[in-house]
Structures are given as C-alpha cells and as structure tokens.
C-alpha cells in the first residue's frame, strides 16, 4: 500500500509512487551520518539561504518582468564580444586589431587619451562604423566623437562616452566639482551624442563596488541608485524618461559562483524594469555589459583563472548578458600577453558557437533553484536600493562614508571565509602547486591620480581574493632564496 506521504502518478499505464521531500531528507541524513538535511543549507553574502534541494513547493513569480534578457531568434543572436584594452600599452593598436580580426565585435578602452591625434593612433585601422568603442571614462569623449564625425560613422557609430561621475567618486574618493555640478556632465554628454543614435552618454558601472568586495545585491543597488541619479539629471534637462533611459549603459561584474551570477543578471533586470515602470517609462529592457570579476583571479597558478573566467562567462551567457568582457587569465600579473587575449576572446566562441548558448533564450528559466535565487536577490537588491535612496542617494552615501563602511564589512566577511577555507580558492587555498616557472608580463602603467577637488570622500577600495595567500607564498619564496631551504607546499 502506498505510503501516506506519496501520491500515485501514471506514466504510460504504469503507476509509480512520487517521492516526498521528507523521504529525500531521511535518506540524505543517513549519508550525512546524523546531521540534518538543513545542515546542507548555505548562506550567501546577501544573507540569502541556499538549500540543497528545490522543488515545485518553492514558489516563484511568473510575471513578465524582463528577467529573461537577450532574446534569440533574430539573424544575430550572440552577445557583443567586447575585450578590454588599456591605451597605455605600447602595442595597444595592434592588440585591438588582432582582437577585432579574431572575431571581437567591439572594444572597451581604458585610459583613453583625450588628444584626438593620439586617440586616432590608438584606433588606427578600426572601422568605427562597424566596431563599437566603449570608453571607461569621459576624458576622451570629445576626441572620440570627433573621430566618429571625421570618418563619417554618424548613425552607424556604436559605443559609450563613459561619463560616470559617481563611479569616479567611488574609485578615487574625490570630484573636482560639487556633486550636482559634476552630474551635469551626463546631460552635456547626452547633448553631444544626440546625432549619434547608437551611442550612450553615461556609463552606470557596478565594477567599482563589485571589485571592492561588495555583495551581489549591493552592487545591483549601487547601479540602480546611480542610474536614478543620472535619469533625474537627464529628465530635468528636458528629455523624456524613455529617451533618458536610452542614454545609459550598464556594467555588472560576475564572479566564479555560477548560479549566483546567473541570478544576478536576472535580478538586475527585474529591478530595472520596476524602476523604469515606476518612473513612467516604457523602455524597461536593461542592456547589460557583463565582465568577469578581476577580484577572482590569482597571480600564482594563473592557469586556473581560465576555469574561473569560463564559469563566469558561462553564467553571463546563460543569464542573457548583451555584451561580455572576459578578463584574460594573466591580467593580475600585468598587461596580458597575446595568449591571454586570444584565450579570453575565443572562450566566447566556445560558449556561443560550440556549446550553442547563443541560440537559447534564458536556458535557466523555470528552474526552481534559479527562479527562487533570482527572486531572493531581486528583493535584497531592491531593499538596499530603497535604503540608499532614503539616505539621499548613492552620492550622499559615498560622501558620508556609509556605503564604503557597508562594503568593507562584506569584504572582511569574504576574506575571513577565504582565510579559514570555508570559501575555497582552487589553486590558491586548495590544491596549490609549486610553479617551476613564474609568468612574466609587462607591468601596468598606473593612470595619473586625480587632483583632489571639492568633494572629498574615501575610495571604496579594491579586493582580490587570492592576495593574502600570494603574500605568504611570496614570503616563502624570499625565505628559500635567502636561506637555500628546500621549498615545500
């Protein structure tokens, strides 16, 4: 006779007893040797509970809230492949051309020069009417617009002018003008780009917070609060809410936790759609540029970084990112070499064309686990966004240091978990190997520091998970070199 906790299901005329969750828990606890099945539940840095098993009893929303992301079915269903290039590299032009010839569809340019002739040298040979150019800061915006105009790109030009005063405040801790005056640069850039319909003025960047060690929902909340600040400036300058939303480009970081990263993109789109709807807008799709997280890569045993980057890139593809920048595996050592750039670029093709991820819309959609995680993260992000707004917005939270303090607490929590190995790092805290040969890369040239201005705040800081372990191994190497002792792992 069937157990009272089961129900009978019929499949092709045969009856099977559908197992109940309690039965699974009983069997699991046998394997756990007395521990309860609840002991398998873990907690994220957003205090989101992750259970070992999700079923139909875990309810999730079926609303049309734009969580699904990039829609396939058009002639070109892939994401924009957008490698990041540093204009300080002496061979930056040849590296850009190699990436574009190898299949990249746009470039993200950091430390771009503001001199139009210098920028023309950096972008020499690039078909600016075909390949998008996205700037990391506004210094080169005028020069880039002049290049687009001179080459006749006009309506064919795609990219972003990189205006992001709030991001600059978060990174440097200072602004050369009061916040309200600095924000007017967003409206000015929007005026410049009006004759370039596929060029956005402002960059709403989550990287300053994600790379500082913030939790996923905190990064989303910071992006939302930054976006609403820029929307206010744009609408106050006479633009409609829909025209204003089209002037924003969004960037989010993705770490090596595959399911959290998938949920992060889906949750961000839910929150953005809700924000635009509440503002009276109808353009509720959130175009997301995803980058694999720099905080997750290591200097020692750098080859493992390929696996971390591939996991994050897989999450970006499954989560429906519109554009993807994969950080090369050797970036923590210095400027990546040609191998690092090529592996990063070609990972896109492995995921898109060989694994077929560019032909499926929202493949994780409907998963009890992913949908529940998405809902939980969206709720956490929206709550933190509301909290930022009640404190006067993200600029005010940066100015008074409260946001930096919140991020620092999460960063300390991450580092503690990494230090006691409850949050393991393969090749660093787990399965570390002795390197016979250390990779040698061209050192990075640091960008000049901004002159302290009117606004003086504390930078949000930087975080790299492997750094403490690498310091220990570097110290061990120095000891071995000084004493001649036998190295051990």
């Amino acid at each position: 006779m069937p157990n009272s906790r089961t129900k009978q299901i019929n499949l092709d005329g045969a009856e099977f007893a559908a197992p109940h969750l309690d039965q699974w828990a009983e069997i699991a606890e046998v394997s756990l040797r007395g521990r309860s099945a609840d002991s398998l539940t873990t907690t994220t840095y957003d205090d989101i509970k992750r259970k070992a098993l999700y079923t139909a009893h875990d309810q999730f929303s079926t609303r049309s809230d734009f969580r699904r992301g990039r829609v396939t079915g058009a002639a070109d269903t892939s994401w924009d492949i957008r490698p990041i290039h540093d204009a300080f590299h002496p061979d930056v032009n040849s590296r850009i051309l190699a990436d574009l010839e190898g299949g990249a569809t746009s470039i993200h340019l950091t430390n771009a020069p503001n001199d139009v002739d210098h920028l023309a040298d950096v972008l020499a040979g690039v078909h600016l009417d075909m390949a998008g150019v996205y700037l990391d800061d506004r210094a080169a915006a005028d020069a880039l617009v002049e290049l687009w105009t001179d080459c006749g790109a006009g309506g064919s030009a795609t990219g972003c002018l990189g205006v992001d005063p709030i991001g600059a405040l978060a990174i440097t801790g200072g602004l050369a003008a009061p916040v309200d005056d600095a924000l007017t640069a967003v409206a000015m850039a929007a005026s410049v780009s009006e004759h370039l319909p596929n060029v956005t003025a402002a960059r709403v960047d989550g990287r300053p917070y994600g790379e500082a060690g913030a939790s996923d929902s905190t990064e989303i909340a910071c992006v939302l609060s930054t976006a609403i600040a820029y929307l206010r400036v744009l609408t106050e300058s006479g633009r409609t809410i829909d025209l204003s939303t089209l002037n924003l480009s969004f960037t989010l970081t993705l770490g090596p936790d595959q399911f959290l990263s998938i949920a992060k993109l889906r949750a961000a789109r839910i929150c953005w759609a809700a924000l635009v709807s509440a503002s009276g807008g109808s353009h509720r799709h959130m175009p997301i540029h995803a980058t694999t997280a720099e905080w997750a890569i290591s200097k020692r045993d750098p080859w493992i970084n390929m696996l971390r980057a591939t996991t994050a890139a897989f999450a970006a593809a499954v989560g429906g990112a519109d554009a993807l920048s994969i950080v090369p595996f050797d970036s923590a050592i210095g400027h990546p070499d040609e191998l690092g750039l090529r592996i990063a670029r070609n990972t896109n093709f492995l995921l898109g064309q060989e694994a077929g991820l560019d032909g499926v819309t929202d493949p994780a959609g409907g998963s009890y686990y992913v949908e529940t995680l998405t809902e939980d993260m969206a709720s956490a992000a929206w709550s933190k966004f509301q909290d930022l707004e009640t404190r006067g917005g993200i600029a005010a939270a940066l100015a008074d240091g409260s946001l930096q303090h919140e991020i620092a607490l999460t960063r300390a929590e991450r580092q503690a978990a990494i230090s006691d190995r409850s949050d393991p790092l393969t090749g660093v805290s787990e399965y570390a190997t002795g390197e016979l040969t250390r990779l040698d890369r061209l050192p990075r040239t640091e960008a000049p520091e901004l002159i302290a201005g009117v606004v003086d705040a504390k930078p949000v800081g930087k975080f790299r998970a492997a750094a403490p372990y690498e310091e220990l191994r570097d110290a061990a190497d120095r000891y071995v070199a000084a004493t001649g002792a036998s190295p051990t792992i």
Side-chain angles (χ1 to χ4, degrees), residues 465-476:
Y469 284 94
E470 291 168 352
E471 290 171 4
L472 289 174
R473 292 182 68 175
D474 288 345

Side-chain angles (χ1 to χ4, degrees), residues 216 219 252-262 264 291-296 308-313 315-316 414:
D216 294 308
E219 183 180 345
L252 289 172
T253 62
L254 300 184
D257 190 312
Q258 172 183 300
F259 288 105
L260 273 183
S261 295
I262 294 170
K264 182 176 186 175
T291 69
T292 61
E294 291 190 37
W295 65 258
R308 298 188 183 100
T310 300
T311 301
R414 286 185 185 275

Side-chain angles (χ1 to χ4, degrees), residues 132-354:
V133 179
Y134 295 79
L135 298 179
D136 216 32
D137 59 67
R138 74 171 305 274
D142 293 338
L144 180 57
V145 170
E146 186 173 341
L147 285 183
W148 274 327
T149 302
D150 289 347
C151 75
S156 299
T158 59
C160 179
L161 300 182
V163 179
D164 185 17
I166 291 177
L169 175 61
I171 294 171
T172 67
L175 288 175
V179 172
D180 289 343
D181 293 342
L183 289 175
T184 61
V186 176
M188 293 173 60
S191 298
V192 171
S193 64
E194 282 179 350
H195 65 290
L196 303 168
N198 298 312
V199 173
T200 57
R203 181 168 50 83
V204 184
D205 199 346
R207 289 177 300 168
Y209 319 101
E211 298 294 355
S215 68
D216 294 308
S217 70
T218 297
E219 183 180 345
I220 295 173
C222 290
V223 163
L224 296 174
S225 191
T226 300
I228 202 68
Y230 294 167
L231 286 179
R232 289 193 184 102
V233 173
L234 290 167
T235 53
E236 288 170 1
S237 66
R239 294 169 177 81
T240 66
I241 184 66
D242 283 338
L243 184 59
S244 298
T245 59
L246 295 177
N247 265 293
L248 306 181
S249 291
F250 297 88
T251 299
L252 289 172
T253 62
L254 300 184
D257 190 312
Q258 172 183 300
F259 288 105
L260 273 183
S261 295
I262 294 170
K264 182 176 186 175
L265 297 183
R266 302 173 89 246
R269 285 192 292 266
I270 291 174
C271 292
W272 175 243
L275 189 155
V276 173
S277 180
S279 303
S282 59
H283 291 165
R284 289 176 286 169
H285 172 66
M286 183 187 200
I288 298 178
H289 165 222
T291 69
T292 61
E294 291 190 37
W295 65 258
I297 64 176
S298 59
K299 291 182 179 179
R300 307 293 294 251
D301 295 337
W303 311 102
I304 304 289
N305 295 327
M306 294 184 192
L307 302 180
R308 298 188 183 100
T310 300
T311 301
F314 176 86
V318 172
D322 299 275
L324 175 58
S325 297
I326 298 176
V327 176
F329 77 94
D330 49 351
S331 292
I333 304 170
H335 283 290
D337 70 356
E338 287 73 13
L339 175 63
L341 292 172
R342 179 166 58 84
I343 293 296
R345 180 182 71 240
N346 289 349
T347 299
N348 289 274
F349 304 124
L350 291 171
L351 293 171
Q353 297 176 14
E354 296 198 23

Side-chain angles (χ1 to χ4, degrees), residues 50-62 67-68 258-260 262-263 266 270 314 318-319 361-376:
R50 293 206 284 187
K51 301 184 296 183
L53 182 67
Y54 288 79
T55 70
H57 292 91
D58 296 289
Q59 299 298 318
F60 55 85
S61 172
T62 57
R67 70 181 65 197
R68 303 195 71 185
Q258 172 183 300
F259 288 105
L260 273 183
I262 294 170
R266 302 173 89 246
I270 291 174
F314 176 86
V318 172
T361 297
D362 194 26
S367 158
Y368 301 134
Y369 176 36
V370 173
E371 294 290 2
T372 303
L373 199 56
T374 297
E375 291 283 334
D376 289 345

Side-chain angles (χ1 to χ4, degrees), residues 417-478:
I418 291 166
S419 296
D420 66 16
R421 298 166 65 189
S422 58
D423 193 352
L425 293 174
T426 302
V428 179
S429 64
E430 312 291 323
Y431 310 111
T433 59
E435 299 162 276
L436 298 179
T437 303
R438 297 282 295 274
L439 296 184
D440 186 25
R441 295 292 183 266
L442 182 69
R444 295 181 182 274
T445 302
E446 295 296 329
E449 293 184 5
L450 297 180
I451 298 174
V454 174
V455 181
D456 185 18
K458 183 180 179 181
V460 292
K462 292 285 285 186
F463 168 69
R464 198 165 57 77
Y469 284 94
E470 291 168 352
E471 290 171 4
L472 289 174
R473 292 182 68 175
D474 288 345
D477 287 348
R478 290 192 295 271

